[in-house]
Amino acid sequence: MHIVQPGMEIDVLKENSKVANENYRLLKEHKIRSVDFMGSIGAGKTALIIKLAEKLRAKGVRVCAIAGDVTGVDDYSRFEKSGLKAFNCNTGHECHLDANLVRKSLREIDLDQYDVVLIENVGNLVCPADFPLGTDYRVVVISTTEGDDMVRKHHDIFLHSDIAILNKMDICDAVGVDPEVIADDYRKLTGGLKEIYKCSVKKDEGLDEIIKALNL
Amino acid sequence: MHIVQPGMEIDVLKENSKVANENYRLLKEHKIRSVDFMGSIGAGKTALIIKLAEKLRAKGVRVCAIAGDVTGVDDYSRFEKSGLKAFNCNTGHECHLDANLVRKSLREIDLDQYDVVLIENVGNLVCPADFPLGTDYRVVVISTTEGDDMVRKHHDIFLHSDIAILNKMDICDAVGVDPEVIADDYRKLTGGLKEIYKCSVKKDEGLDEIIKALNL
């Protein structure tokens, strides 16, 4: 994040935590389960959310999504086109969602109509790490196209998230990336306690395990 | 960027511009041409710089690189392994390079030994836009794996850069992306005045045109 002046950063993060806690309480009052999907551009967050929502709807779970983006309605439109009720949340200039922006979106939603809210954060593997939104889970999504050094380069977001997902397993070979290197780095970073979830949204592989891990 | 308090943002950007101008003058005193490569994770910035540097060295141009990353030495090591003299520049926590970090790196470099400095910014398509480093050119690199909506979603960085590059043209089909949609969005954004440079670093296609566009 952009450190502007000593002390300032702490104030911003403290204020964010306060609002994140309020969001969490509000969601719990309405018995809603929620997930924050973080990850870089092209990791496949939108497609993953669409697919998870399809599977959940098939089980009778009522789902909606919040589409976080700097500008535009691309992800929002993709959600809506797939049949997933969505709420657009533009940051304007900011490179990440924050608890306050999510609070505004939650006010738009008739919360009694949903069991699950899936939030797509802005495409960015650095900044969102610092700003919890008040969800049950924080997820980081990376893809094989990003190279095998993502865990080594971006400790913060992997340590700030509850589960990590490696998407686009179907094009490992086309992009020349060995997923085991990534899996191994993640294992080491988490003291051997956690495994990265491998999936291919395109081929619908590995998604049921993710739904289970997120208690959806 | 993270707006912390009204007025603060302007101060930070003003201070950055001042140092960027100093960097520019320093580079010019040493007759160095310089480029700032911005782009998301996995766009292929490192591989592009390595390939451009190879081509330049073959013509007798003396090149070095600055590897900007939040943490670690992955890109730095890749540069050095390819035979490109590199200087590592970790931001620690920040999601972009700034003029001050680059000034520190320039102090490490014997500037009389080089004709060209290629700077790889942190993998991020949002934040680097606000922070010019003092280079001759600012370049944004995207890849076909990022989807066809990058120009629509990230106006800022495309408007803040001199040229835009669309990499990984060789896997358009594998990822199901039509490069003409991206090319068209970029044309529209730049009032029909500019074309995106299409290339495949892997197949060594389209790189000579980029070298020409950057006056390298």
Side-chain angles (χ1 to χ4, degrees):
Chain A
M1 67 175 295
H2 306 282
I3 297 165
V4 172
Q5 197 172 281
M8 275 298 180
E9 184 189 352
I10 295 160
D11 291 349
V12 173
L13 298 183
K14 211 188 276 177
E15 176 60 21
N16 186 76
S17 288
K18 199 181 129 252
V19 181
N21 284 332
E22 289 166 14
N23 289 344
Y24 182 78
R25 279 197 298 274
L26 178 67
L27 288 162
K28 285 302 137 195
E29 276 166 25
H30 293 270
K31 298 191 174 52
I32 289 178
R33 309 187 292 283
S34 58
V35 185
D36 172 13
F37 291 87
M38 306 179 287
S40 186
I41 284 159
K45 297 183 294 302
T46 314
L48 173 66
I49 290 173
I50 287 173
K51 207 78 186 177
L52 294 178
E54 269 173 20
K55 284 176 182 284
L56 291 171
R57 288 205 304 274
K59 295 198 290 182
V61 180
R62 300 169 305 164
V63 197
C64 71
I66 296 175
D69 256 318
V70 177
T71 183
V73 292
D74 280 281
D75 292 345
Y76 165 78
S77 304
R78 282 174 68 191
F79 286 142
E80 288 272 324
K81 222 178 270 177
S82 78
L84 172 59
K85 177 65 193 164
F87 300 86
N88 201 34
C89 185
N90 282 345
T91 65
H93 193 63
E94 296 284 319
C95 46
H96 58 89
L97 289 178
D98 59 36
N100 201 40
L101 284 165
V102 168
R103 175 161 64 179
K104 282 184 197 158
S105 285
L106 292 178
R107 283 181 186 148
E108 285 178 50
I109 304 175
D110 180 356
L111 295 173
D112 290 324
Q113 298 305 309
Y114 298 101
D115 307 304
V116 166
V117 176
L118 304 177
I119 303 177
E120 177 170 0
N121 217 311
V122 176
N124 186 325
L125 207 54
V126 184
C127 315
D130 290 321
F131 293 84
L133 307 176
T135 55
D136 291 312
Y137 289 93
R138 305 183 79 194
V139 173
V140 56
V141 188
I142 58 171
S143 110
T144 55
T145 64
E146 296 166 16
D148 70 10
D149 49 11
M150 285 303 101
V151 178
R152 296 195 299 277
K153 276 187 180 175
H154 295 277
H155 289 176
D156 266 12
I157 204 154
F158 287 93
L159 291 173
H160 281 83
S161 52
D162 302 293
I163 81 163
I165 295 173
L166 176 58
N167 187 23
K168 305 198 188 179
M169 285 293 291
D170 52 299
I171 53 168
C172 277
D173 291 341
V175 296
V177 162
D178 179 359
E180 291 315 315
V181 173
I182 300 168
D184 201 46
D185 283 343
Y186 184 68
R187 216 174 281 127
K188 275 181 203 149
L189 183 71
T190 56
L193 294 172
K194 288 164 81 176
E195 292 288 328
I196 199 162
Y197 286 84
K198 294 174 192 153
C199 78
S200 162
V201 172
K202 206 174 177 183
K203 302 219 160 176
D204 194 353
E205 285 167 4
L207 300 177
D208 294 329
E209 290 79 355
I210 292 167
I211 287 177
K212 210 172 146 196
L214 296 172
N215 286 318
L216 292 173
Chain B
M1 68 175 294
H2 306 282
I3 298 166
V4 171
Q5 196 173 282
M8 276 296 179
E9 184 188 353
I10 294 160
D11 291 350
V12 174
L13 299 183
K14 212 188 274 177
E15 176 60 20
N16 186 76
S17 288
K18 199 180 128 256
V19 180
N21 285 331
E22 289 166 15
N23 289 345
Y24 181 78
R25 279 197 298 273
L26 178 68
L27 289 162
K28 285 302 137 195
E29 276 167 25
H30 293 271
K31 298 188 173 54
I32 289 178
R33 308 187 293 284
S34 58
V35 184
D36 172 13
F37 291 87
M38 306 178 287
S40 186
I41 284 158
K45 298 182 295 300
T46 314
L48 173 65
I49 291 173
I50 287 173
K51 207 78 185 176
L52 294 178
E54 269 173 19
K55 285 176 182 282
L56 291 172
R57 288 205 305 273
K59 295 198 288 182
V61 180
R62 300 169 306 163
V63 198
C64 71
I66 296 175
D69 256 318
V70 177
T71 184
V73 294
D74 280 281
D75 292 346
Y76 165 78
S77 304
R78 283 175 67 191
F79 287 144
E80 288 272 323
K81 221 177 272 177
S82 79
L84 173 59
K85 177 64 193 163
F87 300 86
N88 202 34
C89 185
N90 282 345
T91 65
H93 193 63
E94 296 284 319
C95 46
H96 58 88
L97 290 178
D98 60 36
N100 202 39
L101 284 165
V102 168
R103 173 159 68 179
K104 282 183 195 158
S105 285
L106 292 177
R107 283 181 186 148
E108 285 178 50
I109 304 176
D110 181 355
L111 295 173
D112 290 324
Q113 298 304 310
Y114 297 100
D115 307 304
V116 166
V117 176
L118 303 177
I119 304 176
E120 177 169 1
N121 217 310
V122 176
N124 185 326
L125 206 54
V126 183
C127 316
D130 290 321
F131 293 84
L133 307 177
T135 55
D136 291 313
Y137 289 94
R138 306 184 77 194
V139 173
V140 56
V141 187
I142 59 171
S143 110
T144 55
T145 64
E146 296 165 15
D148 71 10
D149 49 11
M150 286 302 102
V151 177
R152 296 194 299 277
K153 275 187 180 175
H154 295 277
H155 289 177
D156 266 12
I157 205 155
F158 287 93
L159 291 173
H160 280 82
S161 53
D162 302 294
I163 80 163
I165 295 172
L166 176 58
N167 187 22
K168 305 197 187 179
M169 284 294 290
D170 52 299
I171 54 169
C172 277
D173 292 339
V175 295
V177 162
D178 179 359
E180 290 315 314
V181 172
I182 300 168
D184 200 47
D185 283 342
Y186 184 68
R187 215 174 282 127
K188 275 181 202 150
L189 182 71
T190 56
L193 294 172
K194 287 163 82 175
E195 292 289 327
I196 199 162
Y197 285 83
K198 293 174 193 153
C199 78
S200 163
V201 172
K202 205 174 178 184
K203 301 220 161 178
D204 194 354
E205 286 167 4
L207 300 177
D208 294 329
E209 290 79 356
I210 292 166
I211 287 177
K212 210 172 146 197
L214 296 172
N215 287 316
L216 293 173

